[in-house]
Amino acid sequence: MAFQSPALPPVRPRKSAAAVIFLCFLAIVFDGYDLVVYGAIVPKLLAYEPWGLTPVQTGAIGSYALAGMFIGAILIGYLTDIVGRRKVMMVSIASFSVLMLLTAWAPTPELFGLFRFLAGLGLGGVIPTAIALTVEFSKSNRRNFNNALMFSGYAVGGILAALLALAFLPALGFRGMLALGGVPLIAVVPLLFKFLPESPAFLAAKGDRAQAERIISEYGLEPLPEAPAQGDVPVHGRFRTLLTGRLLTAMILFSLAGVCGQTLVYGLNTWLPQLMVIAKYSLASSLTFLLTVNIGAVVGVLVSSRLADRFGPRPVTATAFASSGLALVLMGTGVMPLPVMYLLVAVVGFGSVGAQILVNGFVATYFSGATRATALGITLGVGRIGAVLAISGGGVLVAAALGNFINFSVWAIAAAIGVVAVLTVPRFPDNESTGTASATSQPHISDSTVKH
């Protein structure tokens, strides 16, 4: 019998990919905090006599940060695929933190709105970068779950904002609550500088395959393909690649789903406390509902993302949108007992914040490495249109005093459109051409989602 040498044990990675996902989670926490803290301080802003803001003006100012995020997500998401995820993440968080402090100290509503806009520019770059890194440092069968786990930081930030508002808003006022948004400058940026690695997919696409392989070995990641799936896409052609053929249809539908998701997320998190006050609940109770929205988002999306990894993100994301629409209509009837209202609010959290997280995961696994952050930047950036319209439109809705049923059920329209958009994203069978202009281009859909 021929002697066979024993198989060598697998080399254990020296570093944990979970640490990268946790760093991205921390970054996203403060995005969620900024979103919800504005909704929590809206009643205080309306009551601040020196500024004399109306609901319409308050909604417009709230939308300025979203307008900044619209530009920031597209521009910085594109730059992320050029200069790297690590640098973009650190610069985005640092600039956002500084501008949150300036917002807290703004002496006039005009400067308040300007600083909100500029803070949005930095914050807009955080989300596509965090999602891209999370997907790239996750095994293929856990990408949707890990993305949801990381992005639950968005809802955790919302929970943190609601809890802090319940405890400290009367004492700190709206300025103190906003100033807490400067914490990442000293608490998160140093951790990113010391521990956050660069994306192997980015390094390989830029030609530094040796460094990419070293990081893959250190973190125990899945190996890169022999030829990076989109490594031959020139930097100047990334937008052209994504906006050609069937990928263009996919980008339009993903962007529409993003508009719907962010309409629900930002509209409800900004205006839910005021809508509950109009519905005869106390301010403290309305903040508790805001807390419930984000708890529902965390619990719901962690369960649904595992289903997305198993069955594909398409049906799960559509279900999330549909559940939020139904819950909003039921809330608008005004006949539900208080325990049922809390349950419905939790479902709305899953179907708004949760649906947006699932959309982001769908996009991140639909496109492969070299254009992933660009695609995320486009869909998130265009999605900010929904956020801007929701925050501004919410102010108009409150001022119009149309009644509780319309106040709640009008948001269900966005949920219905989201269902249709997600279900009609093109499918790509195995070995099907993506329709790009370059005949030499590789497929642009990751292997893990072709079968979906």
Side-chain angles (χ1 to χ4, degrees), residues 48 96 116 173 238 240 270 307 315 325 340 373 384 393 445:
Y48 188 56
F96 158 73
R116 288 280 299 169
R238 295 182 194 279
R240 184 177 59 196
T270 299
L307 297 176
V340 176
R384 300 300 181 193
I445 308 300

Side-chain angles (χ1 to χ4, degrees), residues 166-218:
L166 282 167
F168 301 115
L169 181 58
L172 295 180
F174 71 88
R175 294 188 186 278
M177 297 301 299
L178 291 171
L180 292 175
V183 169
L185 187 63
I186 57 175
V188 178
V189 174
L191 292 176
L192 297 177
F193 181 80
K194 184 172 178 61
F195 297 111
L196 187 68
E198 187 51 88
S199 153
F202 165 77
L203 292 170
K206 298 294 287 186
D208 192 354
R209 195 171 182 88
Q211 177 73 353
E213 296 289 357
R214 183 184 67 79
I215 294 174
I216 287 171
S217 176
E218 287 181 341

Side-chain angles (χ1 to χ4, degrees), residues 290-316:
L290 194 59
L291 178 65
T292 305
V293 164
N294 288 282
I295 292 174
V298 172
V299 175
V301 79
L302 290 179
V303 174
S304 63
S305 61
R306 294 307 298 264
L307 297 176
D309 277 324
R310 182 170 183 179
F311 301 108
R314 185 190 309 270
V316 181

Side-chain angles (χ1 to χ4, degrees), residues 26-399:
L26 285 180
I28 292 295
V29 163
F30 290 93
D31 188 6
Y33 178 86
D34 176 70
L35 162 65
V36 176
V37 79
Y38 191 80
I41 67 173
V42 160
K44 289 290 186 181
L45 286 173
L46 291 172
Y48 188 56
E49 293 183 1
W51 286 1
L53 295 173
T54 66
V56 174
Q57 290 172 322
T58 304
I61 290 174
S63 72
Y64 294 163
L66 281 301
M69 293 174 78
F70 166 74
I71 298 170
I74 295 176
L75 176 61
I76 300 176
Y78 177 72
L79 290 176
T80 296
D81 282 327
I82 299 175
V83 303
R85 323 286 200 232
R86 186 174 182 273
K87 293 178 183 176
V88 165
M89 179 76 85
M90 290 188 294
V91 172
S92 295
I93 293 177
S95 63
F96 158 73
S97 299
V98 170
L99 284 157
M100 281 292 283
L101 292 173
L102 292 175
T103 302
W105 296 328
T108 66
E110 291 77 17
L111 285 174
F112 183 84
L114 174 62
F115 292 144
R116 288 280 299 169
F117 171 78
L118 294 175
L121 288 175
L123 196 56
V126 173
I127 299 178
T129 309
I131 296 170
L133 279 168
T134 297
V135 167
E136 291 161 14
F137 279 80
S138 300
K139 295 186 182 301
S140 58
N141 64 343
R142 287 180 59 90
R143 285 176 176 169
N144 282 288
F145 178 74
N146 284 353
N147 179 66
L149 192 65
M150 180 278 297
F151 215 90
S152 68
Y154 196 83
V156 170
I159 292 170
L160 180 65
L163 288 174
L164 290 174
L166 282 167
F168 301 115
L169 181 58
L172 295 180
F174 71 88
R175 294 188 186 278
M177 297 301 299
L178 291 171
L180 292 175
V183 169
L185 187 63
I186 57 175
V188 178
V189 174
L191 292 176
L192 297 177
F193 181 80
K194 184 172 178 61
F195 297 111
L196 187 68
E198 187 51 88
S199 153
F202 165 77
L203 292 170
K206 298 294 287 186
D208 192 354
R209 195 171 182 88
Q211 177 73 353
E213 296 289 357
R214 183 184 67 79
I215 294 174
I216 287 171
S217 176
E218 287 181 341
Y219 286 88
L221 307 180
E222 294 177 356
L224 293 169
E226 286 301 317
Q230 293 176 308
D232 57 345
V233 180
V235 167
H236 65 272
R238 295 182 194 279
F239 280 119
R240 184 177 59 196
T241 299
L242 292 171
L243 303 181
T244 304
R246 294 184 71 184
L247 285 183
L248 173 60
T249 302
M251 288 299 301
I252 291 172
L253 290 168
F254 277 130
S255 296
L256 180 59
V259 168
C260 295
Q262 293 192 49
T263 295
L264 293 169
V265 171
Y266 284 87
L268 293 173
N269 273 287
T270 299
W271 290 108
L272 183 62
Q274 191 65 23
L275 292 177
M276 300 309 291
V277 169
I278 292 172
K280 308 304 182 185
Y281 292 91
S282 68
L283 178 58
S285 296
S286 69
L287 291 174
T288 305
F289 279 114
L290 194 59
L291 178 65
T292 305
V293 164
N294 288 282
I295 292 174
V298 172
V299 175
V301 79
L302 290 179
V303 174
S304 63
S305 61
R306 294 307 298 264
L307 297 176
D309 277 324
R310 182 170 183 179
F311 301 108
R314 185 190 309 270
V316 181
T317 308
T319 300
F321 272 123
S323 65
S324 66
L326 178 60
L328 285 163
V329 171
L330 292 175
M331 288 173 64
T333 62
V335 298
M336 301 296 168
L338 187 61
V340 176
M341 280 293 285
Y342 275 110
L343 176 61
L344 291 174
V345 168
V347 172
V348 168
F350 160 62
S352 55
V353 178
Q356 182 60 48
I357 292 172
L358 290 167
V359 168
N360 294 338
F362 195 176
V363 174
T365 54
Y366 194 89
F367 299 94
S368 57
T371 56
R372 179 175 290 123
T374 302
L376 284 164
I378 292 173
T379 54
L380 286 164
V382 173
R384 300 300 181 193
I385 295 172
V388 171
L389 293 175
I391 294 179
S392 300
V396 174
L397 184 67
V398 168

